[in-house]
Amino acid sequence: MRPLPDLSIRQLEYLVAVAEEPTWAVAAARVGVSASALSQGLAELERRVGVTLFDRDGRRRTVRPGASPVVAHARQVLGLTHDLAEWADRLRSGHSGTLRLGMIDAAAVVHHPDQLRRYRSEHPDVDLRLRVAPSAELLELLVAGELDLVVCVDPPTPVGGIDAVALLTEDLAVYAPPDRRPGPPPTWGPWVLFPAGSHTRALVVEELRQLGAPLDVVAESHQPDVLREMVQLGVGWTVLPTSQAEHGDRPLRRVRTLTTRPLVIATRAGSVHDPALDDLATALGRG
């Protein structure tokens, strides 16, 4: 069997910084080294991997598209190494430390606010940090080691480096502006929807196409409240979770239930076992 390449965590950190930052100078500042030290470290990484990782564009060097598996590996290794360091620190200090939770807005505001309050009350030694963002962004941060647990829409295609457990399923429904009299699907629209590339948008587009509804999208937003207001103003039709569209002030008028979207609890695959994180996952699962 071929010997494994002798890669250092520092070299992988350099690669991820260069992949994510606009210039090598900014990447070098991020990891706290000079530009020349960054260049030397990446040249050695490239030599040890045995694959060309960078393209030259004049004096600039950019990560090659074909190097994406190496970058993905680097992100996953850094995330798992961060988990190990955090676990060791908690073991030495006897303190539960920080847990970084990512949630889509519906999970944080609608489905689990009571569970989060109860968890904070029952675990005063845990510094729980919450980030609310779209599903794809949260999963990227999870793989990269910047979040520890994520509640999001189940991705349409598997994401490497994560384990996902089903949490709940919520209804998505079609809503029309107040001045529109709904007819059959071919008369629906125009639309104000979640942005292209979001997991929910992919579900919605597939269902609308099957019904023969035209997909004239005139506005996009990740914020359900913004989409609700656009519908109220007559800008267009939308598809939203019923839990966010039909509650509170000025609920939207449902035309029909369109489909469902599954929410999952996602964690990094192969991560060091963390009892505080397990307790949080269990608390959310009870919601």
Side-chain angles (χ1 to χ4, degrees):
M1 186 171 62
R2 181 185 175 187
L4 294 175
D6 184 14
L7 310 181
S8 74
I9 295 296
R10 194 66 166 152
Q11 290 167 349
L12 298 179
E13 189 179 22
Y14 289 177
L15 178 61
V16 171
V18 167
E20 294 180 348
E21 300 298 345
T23 68
W24 280 51
V26 175
R30 166 174 158 176
V31 296
V33 299
S34 67
S36 61
L38 179 71
S39 181
Q40 291 170 10
L42 288 173
E44 181 62 18
L45 173 65
E46 196 171 47
R47 186 188 70 78
R48 294 184 182 187
V49 173
V51 174
T52 301
L53 302 178
F54 304 97
D55 286 329
R56 287 192 175 275
D57 181 10
R59 298 182 62 183
R60 293 181 66 248
R61 281 178 293 174
T62 57
V63 179
R64 301 183 68 185
S68 58
V70 185
V71 177
H73 172 81
R75 287 194 174 106
Q76 186 173 5
V77 169
L78 291 176
L80 293 174
T81 304
H82 175 274
D83 292 343
L84 179 61
E86 287 288 309
W87 171 83
D89 183 64
R90 287 193 292 271
L91 193 64
R92 288 191 302 268
S93 66
H95 188 271
S96 294
T98 300
L99 287 182
R100 300 159 303 167
L101 170 65
M103 288 182 141
I104 60 170
D105 48 15
V109 176
V110 177
H111 299 302
H112 298 295
D114 293 339
Q115 287 73 24
L116 291 177
R117 282 192 291 269
R118 188 178 306 117
Y119 183 86
R120 288 181 187 275
S121 175
E122 294 175 353
H123 297 78
D125 59 330
V126 176
D127 182 12
L128 182 62
R129 306 289 179 89
L130 174 63
R131 179 164 184 159
V132 178
S135 296
E137 179 182 339
L138 293 175
L139 290 174
E140 288 180 3
L141 293 170
L142 177 63
V143 172
E146 296 182 36
L147 293 173
D148 302 309
L149 184 147
V150 160
V151 177
C152 66
V153 179
D154 194 15
T157 56
V159 177
I162 71 164
D163 291 327
V165 177
L167 178 60
L168 60 89
T169 299
E170 57 182 2
D171 289 335
L172 298 175
V174 177
Y175 298 94
D179 61 348
R180 290 291 302 273
R181 184 172 183 178
T187 67
W188 295 353
W191 298 93
V192 294
L193 296 175
F194 290 115
S198 75
H199 297 168
T200 301
R201 171 73 169 265
L203 291 171
V204 168
V205 167
E206 177 62 26
E207 293 296 326
L208 291 178
R209 282 180 175 155
Q210 290 188 18
L211 291 173
L215 292 172
D216 178 18
V217 180
V218 296
E220 299 178 338
S221 176
H222 277 300
Q223 301 297 325
D225 288 345
V226 172
L227 296 177
R228 281 181 54 163
E229 189 61 25
M230 287 184 183
V231 175
Q232 296 285 12
L233 294 173
V235 176
W237 296 46
T238 195
V239 177
L240 285 173
T242 57
S243 60
Q244 293 177 295
E246 299 178 13
H247 299 278
D249 297 335
R250 303 171 69 203
L252 296 181
R253 177 186 57 172
R254 186 189 305 193
V255 175
R256 63 174 284 179
T257 301
L258 182 68
T259 186
T260 60
R261 68 174 186 180
L263 302 190
V264 297
I265 295 178
T267 53
R268 263 184 306 285
S271 181
V272 177
H273 181 76
D274 186 335
L277 191 66
D278 291 344
D279 287 348
L280 177 57
T282 299
L284 295 174
R286 288 198 298 262

